[in-house]
Amino acid sequence: MENEKYLNDISEIKNMMNKSSQFLSLSGLSGILAGIYALIGAFYANSLLPSYNRIGGELSRESLTLSEKEITIKLFLTALTVIVLSIISGLLLSASKAKKQGENLWNQSSKQLLINFGIPLITGGIFALLLLQKEFYGIIAPITLIFYGLGCVNASKNTFRDVKYLGITLIIIGLFATYFTGYGLLFWALGFGICHILYGSVMYFKYERD
């Protein structure tokens, strides 16, 4: 009897330690909104491209005119807007969820989550900017998908396990986008748009609906 109680106590202590090391205020709704922002951004980005350069085409160094370079800048600003809106939505919804749970949004687990997610994300962002400067446009979308996916996998140890599967999915999509060069915008919409909406919905109904 005492042995069974001892094992139960150990199990309870272990569960408490796991919860204290995980950030559980991450909102599934923020993932859904991020996916919607990404789809709107992809639709707008596709409308900016010339008819011969739309989804399925590719920007090349030889074909770029001054106006097309300006379009590239607009595409970058569109992606930046999507990221900023996603971050703001994530912070607001996660703060609201943390408040309902009686928890502090900024704690040791959220700090560790930010570090683990931020390192691959910032590295990928700098890499993408360098590619943009060197006019390697065709692989910017795959790079952002792959590094974002790596960030999700790296951060999943500090939050819900579902984030790991989202990251793996995005890495695979990024690899496909690398192989099928010229379809980057389509894969970008699939990864950041559709996948975010699907995984965000799963997390919402799994952890937040009640």
Side-chain angles (χ1 to χ4, degrees), residues 136 144 171:
F136 294 129
T144 56
I171 292 172

Side-chain angles (χ1 to χ4, degrees), residues 67-79:
S67 62
E68 288 172 329
K69 289 182 180 180
E70 292 172 351
I71 289 174
T72 302
I73 294 175
K74 289 184 179 181
L75 293 177
F76 174 76
L77 292 177
T78 300

